[in-house]
Amino acid sequence: MTQASAQERPEPQMKAPLRTMGTRRFGRVNWLGLTTLAEREVRRFLAVWTQTLLAPLVTAGLFLLIFSIAIGPRRGDVMGVSFTTFIAPGILMMTVIQNAFANASSSIVISKVQGNIVDTLMPPLSGGELVLGYLAGGTGRGLLVAFAIGLGLLVFLGIGVKHPLWALAFVFLGAAFMSGVGIVAGIYANKFDQMAAITNFIVTPLAFLSGTFYSVDALPPVLNKITHFNPIFYLIDGARYGVIGVSDSPPMLGLAVGAGSTLAVCLVAWRMLATGYRLKA
């Protein structure tokens, strides 16, 4: 072989490394997929704002009106404030947690019933990213509902916010906690009637029996102790402290219970989404 032919021989090219199926190409966090899922969940409830934002405002107003007319004139002050002022933050928080739960749970159940849950599971999103995406929708809806009701309380009843940071912290925790509960319930339920059973027999009683319309000090000792095992009680009580400055329990305790409960339920939701529990065949 001559020297010229040796120089003309092309050098072997290095082969590009093969990527196996399922390899993440987006780094530690798929920000594009996460923001897309969060945007979808937010757009989902904004598209029907009369049902998701206006209706809760009307419902909360009716609760306040009915209780004020039926009980308010005959009921004395509660914890140093009028009865209407006392129940206003509880109704606000109860509405927030119900809407946050409904947003996350309905999104998953509808996708399962319609058979398009695969559109959410197929993209390269981890269990944690799916949880955060659904939380964004439920928490965003809860915060908007809280803002609308809070504005109504200020305009029509003259009830302001005494501790804005405390109120914001508890509203955010309440919305995030119930969004996580909604994710778990939505994954577990395979039909609308199962979801309705969870809402009617678990979520609604926990919300109503958590000091929304009364101080827990008025309960018998046994019921008083049982109520303190309900995390929603601390969320509603903390929101009441943030709005009107009175509460049945220390706000720091409520903040700790709320944060711990939110973390726990989000870990359960992450595990269910990561393993495909009741989602994958």
Side-chain angles (χ1 to χ4, degrees):
M1 182 180 295
T2 63
Q3 183 177 1
S5 62
Q7 293 177 351
E8 294 174 358
R9 180 183 301 171
E11 296 181 358
Q13 297 181 354
M14 298 294 292
K15 292 184 178 180
L18 296 176
R19 285 177 173 171
T20 60
M21 292 185 65
T23 302
R24 288 180 64 87
R25 301 173 176 85
F26 305 98
R28 189 176 297 275
V29 179
N30 182 358
W31 292 109
L32 176 61
L34 174 58
T35 54
T36 301
L37 176 59
E39 183 180 355
R40 185 196 76 177
E41 291 300 300
V42 172
R43 285 176 176 267
R44 178 177 166 273
F45 73 78
L46 288 178
V48 287
W49 64 273
T50 54
Q51 175 186 345
T52 57
L53 299 178
L54 181 60
L57 178 61
V58 173
T59 302
L62 289 174
F63 266 115
L64 278 172
L65 179 63
I66 292 171
F67 275 95
S68 298
I69 294 175
I71 303 176
R74 297 192 302 271
R75 181 71 182 266
D77 289 351
V78 182
M79 300 179 70
V81 297
S82 67
F83 179 70
T84 302
T85 302
F86 176 81
I87 66 172
I91 291 175
L92 181 149
M93 195 62 175
M94 181 186 70
T95 309
V96 166
I97 62 179
Q98 287 178 339
N99 280 268
F101 173 84
N103 198 80
S105 60
S106 63
S107 179
I108 296 176
V109 171
I110 291 173
S111 295
K112 291 171 70 176
V113 172
Q114 293 180 345
N116 57 19
I117 188 67
V118 65
D119 295 335
T120 303
L121 299 177
M122 281 185 63
L125 291 168
S126 66
E129 291 160 354
L130 289 172
V131 170
L132 290 176
Y134 283 115
L135 282 179
T139 304
R141 179 173 167 180
L143 290 175
L144 287 177
V145 168
F147 176 78
I149 297 176
L151 185 62
L153 294 179
L154 178 63
V155 172
F156 294 104
L157 297 179
I159 300 176
V161 181
K162 285 199 173 182
H163 307 289
L165 292 180
W166 280 105
L168 179 62
F170 278 104
V171 168
F172 177 82
L173 276 179
F177 171 69
M178 290 308 295
S179 295
V181 175
I183 296 172
V184 174
I187 295 173
Y188 180 80
N190 288 324
K191 297 181 294 185
F192 288 117
D193 57 345
Q194 293 177 346
M195 193 69 253
I198 295 174
T199 302
N200 294 329
F201 297 112
I202 298 178
V203 176
T204 300
L206 287 178
F208 276 78
L209 301 176
S210 54
T212 302
F213 306 106
Y214 54 84
S215 171
V216 295
D217 288 340
L219 295 175
V222 175
L223 291 179
N224 191 319
K225 292 181 180 179
I226 293 175
T227 301
H228 281 80
F229 287 96
N230 179 5
I232 298 179
F233 155 73
Y234 294 97
L235 297 172
I236 290 178
D237 195 54
R240 180 174 287 122
Y241 174 79
V243 175
I244 62 176
V246 298
S247 60
D248 284 307
S249 63
M252 282 301 299
L253 175 61
L255 196 67
V257 173
S261 301
T262 303
L263 178 61
V265 76
C266 287
L267 287 175
V268 174
W270 165 77
R271 181 63 180 172
M272 296 173 81
L273 286 167
T275 59
Y277 175 74
R278 296 177 77 93
L279 294 172
K280 299 178 181 178

